[in-house]
Amino acid sequence: MKTAAVLLAAGRGTRMKSSLPKVLHPVAGRPMLWHALRAVHEAGCDRVVVVVGHEAEKVREAVGAAGQCVVQEPQLGTGHAVQQAEALLQGETDLVLVTAADMPLLRGETLSRLIEAQRAHKGPVTMLTVLADDPRGFGRVVRGEDRRVQAIVEEAQATPEQRAIRELNVGAYCFSAGWLWEALRRVPLSPKGEYYLTDTIALAVEEGLSVQALTLEDASEAIGVNTRVHLAEAEAVMRKRINRQHMLNGVTLINPEATYIEAGVAIGRDTVIWPNTFLQGDTTVGEGCMLGPNTLVRDSHIGDRCTVLASVVEGAHLEEDVEIGPFARLRKGAHLARGVHMGNFGEVKDSYLGPGVKMGHFSYIGNATVGAGTNIGAGTITCNYDGEKKHPTEIGEDVFIGSDTMLVAPLKVGDRARTGAGSVVTKDVPPDTLVVGVPARAIRKLESRDRD
Ligand code: UD1
Ligand code: CA
């Protein structure tokens, strides 16, 4: 049986009070829409149609290849929204899973169960419900004396007795396709001037067909985001969920309450993460690392057994056994090879530091390559910018850059060369040569005993 998903994302999201479309607000670093798309894909849907409307172009861009978009204009309610997918899906699918893109916590496995339940059901629809003390404006699930579902009543239209009902409509349904398209044509206009998808439930009951309800075990999955207060709630639940999964996978979080790991970050076993650490974007961390406290890693790849203490790492790549911090800053294009040690107040951008390079204190390395085993003395700066252009610096292997050296790019420093403390190097330095002074001059050729 083929199943298509229809994700509703056309609404205005007025209560967010934002210029960003609601479904693009991030939860754990990814748009709510991303979470919703992931869940329907995990549920194994053959096709995914996203109904867009308000700020349609921005939302369409965020959907990308993860689904097809249809535009709902004007937005006349959730029933009307689903109807927009009919032209694409008519005759193409047996079941239609409908959910909203503002429910980032709904799990793929829950949607799978919903689909399975409808496959095994004779009636036209299976819906998801939740039992909750706080109704949060959700539609109420009205059951008859026989406990069968009779209708969904929206809060605004509910009688006081109905308002007291604590079984709520989550807003996820699996319909038999043929029945759905036909029923949507019969949905009446609501007192609010909208066509409610929820009214299809009463239509089924009127026809004498049975409506099946599946109740969520984990009520947090039903958190829908209508305001920024809900957004923070969703964020907290998602963070807990992500952290728990990493812990179960063998990562130690000293204090999970103060550890912020975005969706999609991968972390190897036996890595220990200290509080106030943020792992964001497209980031991977290897095994046996020590991260934090007070560390931010974004869009970076960190190899096994690295230590990153109180540092900021963005767009960087650390191979194995790299040690950085406290107070190091790696910017985009920083590539630190195996065994690099970078201490306090260093900054590296668009540069390669070869295996075993040491850069202990107060240095800036930009647009440079540094060969294996080289020592960058305290206060060294690659003067890579002349006010208009960036220029490269190439430093060889086993070089010793003396403290407070200014390397005025473009510049090459040969293997095993040395610079004296405070030199300002403006000309290329041949291998095995010691340069000193301002501007730096070669004063002698180095023998191997000079270096030992
Ligand atoms: C809806 C349900 C309610 C349920 C709740 C769960 C209806 C009438 N009510 O209420 O029973 O408890 O979800 O979260 O369905 N949308 C469109 N086009 C429209 C209107 C809405 O695409 O014309 C989209 C919105 O972008 C949103 C979703 O549908 O993603 C739900 O709409 P929203 O206005 O948030 O409905 P609720 O009031 O939350
Ligand atoms: Ca909603």
Side-chain angles (χ1 to χ4, degrees):
M1 249 196 226
K2 281 196 188 169
T3 306
V6 176
L7 256 187
L8 304 185
R12 203 159 251 297
T14 317
R15 290 166 281 177
M16 292 296 281
K17 305 204 170 141
S18 176
S19 54
L20 186 69
K22 174 165 83 173
V23 298
L24 299 189
H25 278 262
V27 169
R30 309 273 182 171
M32 286 192 252
L33 175 68
W34 181 91
H35 293 282
L37 283 165
R38 180 164 85 166
V40 296
H41 281 290
E42 276 174 11
C45 293
D46 303 295
R47 283 179 77 173
V48 177
V49 176
V50 183
V51 183
V52 299
H54 177 67
E55 297 266 28
E57 283 320 302
K58 283 190 196 159
V59 179
R60 188 193 291 273
E61 204 184 304
V63 171
Q68 284 173 283
C69 293
V70 283
V71 179
Q72 181 199 19
E73 191 59 62
Q75 289 106 43
L76 299 179
T78 47
H80 179 253
V82 174
Q83 223 168 7
Q84 310 309 307
E86 181 181 351
L88 277 178
L89 297 177
Q90 177 73 262
E92 300 278 312
T93 186
D94 306 298
L95 298 178
V96 180
L97 173 75
V98 179
T99 103
D102 64 354
M103 294 197 299
L105 293 155
L106 260 185
R107 289 187 165 95
E109 58 200 77
T110 301
L111 297 178
S112 280
R113 281 204 296 133
L114 188 64
I115 295 167
E116 286 311 316
Q118 176 57 23
R119 278 195 182 145
H121 179 50
K122 287 200 180 62
V125 56
T126 302
M127 62 178 287
L128 205 56
T129 75
V130 64
L131 301 169
D133 294 331
D134 175 7
R136 300 165 65 102
F138 277 33
R140 309 297 202 273
V141 179
V142 179
R143 290 184 185 255
E145 308 235 298
D146 55 1
R147 300 299 302 143
R148 284 169 181 270
V149 174
Q150 296 294 311
I152 300 170
V153 180
E154 291 306 303
E155 188 169 87
Q157 279 95 55
T159 63
E161 294 76 44
Q162 288 170 336
R163 280 181 180 234
I165 295 172
R166 288 297 170 260
E167 186 176 11
L168 312 174
N169 172 33
V170 171
Y173 326 76
C174 188
F175 292 95
S176 136
W179 184 85
L180 173 66
W181 308 131
E182 192 273 321
L184 284 174
R185 292 193 189 98
R186 291 185 288 125
V187 165
L189 198 61
S190 79
K192 263 183 78 186
E194 292 190 355
Y195 297 96
Y196 289 163
L197 179 62
T198 44
D199 284 343
T200 56
I201 301 300
L203 288 178
V205 173
E206 277 167 29
E207 286 174 51
L209 301 172
S210 102
V211 173
Q212 180 172 232
L214 202 69
T215 303
L216 277 179
E217 282 154 27
D218 173 2
S220 74
E221 286 192 59
I223 294 179
V225 175
N226 294 326
T227 68
R228 302 213 195 210
V229 175
H230 300 153
L231 185 67
E233 283 172 23
E235 178 81 27
V237 172
M238 186 69 87
R239 178 160 65 239
K240 254 199 161 132
R241 218 190 252 183
I242 290 171
N243 286 352
R244 184 183 148 79
Q245 196 54 54
H246 287 298
M247 290 188 280
L248 292 174
N249 290 347
V251 178
T252 295
L253 305 185
I254 300 294
N255 179 5
E257 302 293 309
T259 306
Y260 307 82
I261 305 171
E262 290 186 353
V265 171
I267 310 172
R269 294 168 65 144
D270 292 320
T271 281
V272 176
I273 303 179
W274 291 79
N276 207 28
T277 292
F278 301 76
L279 305 181
Q280 305 181 329
D282 175 19
T283 289
T284 58
V285 177
E287 298 186 0
C289 294
M290 280 281 218
L291 306 182
N294 304 328
T295 288
L296 186 145
V297 179
R298 171 156 203 91
D299 297 330
S300 295
H301 300 287
I302 296 182
D304 296 340
R305 299 175 304 279
C306 289
T307 301
V308 181
L309 166 61
S311 293
V312 175
V313 176
E314 288 176 287
H317 175 193
L318 277 59
E319 296 181 12
E320 306 81 66
D321 303 296
V322 170
E323 209 181 277
I324 72 165
F327 318 118
R329 176 158 189 226
L330 298 185
R331 292 166 56 200
K332 77 167 177 54
H335 178 175
L336 276 49
R338 169 191 290 264
V340 166
H341 164 79
M342 180 177 164
N344 44 277
F345 306 109
E347 175 177 338
V348 176
K349 184 218 75 172
D350 275 326
S351 294
Y352 172 74
L353 271 51
V357 165
K358 288 194 170 56
M359 173 176 160
H361 340 259
F362 313 102
S363 292
Y364 171 61
I365 300 293
N367 304 91
T369 60
V370 181
T374 286
N375 186 88
I376 308 281
T380 295
I381 288 173
T382 51
C383 309
N384 61 330
Y385 185 51
D386 60 11
E388 282 173 26
K389 276 194 185 147
K390 302 276 167 67
H391 301 283
T393 302
E394 269 177 53
I395 303 173
E397 295 185 359
D398 297 317
V399 170
F400 184 93
I401 302 288
S403 294
D404 212 14
T405 295
M406 301 294 121
L407 300 161
V408 183
L411 188 71
K412 285 185 184 160
V413 179
D415 292 345
R416 297 170 306 278
R418 301 174 74 107
T419 69
S423 16
V424 175
V425 185
T426 55
K427 289 200 187 104
D428 289 355
V429 180
D432 301 292
T433 304
L434 169 65
V435 298
V436 299
V438 181
R441 277 180 235 279
I443 56 170
R444 69 185 156 98
K445 203 75 182 157
L446 293 165
E447 308 293 331
S448 64
R449 65 184 144 78
D450 289 322
R451 286 187 302 269
D452 298 335

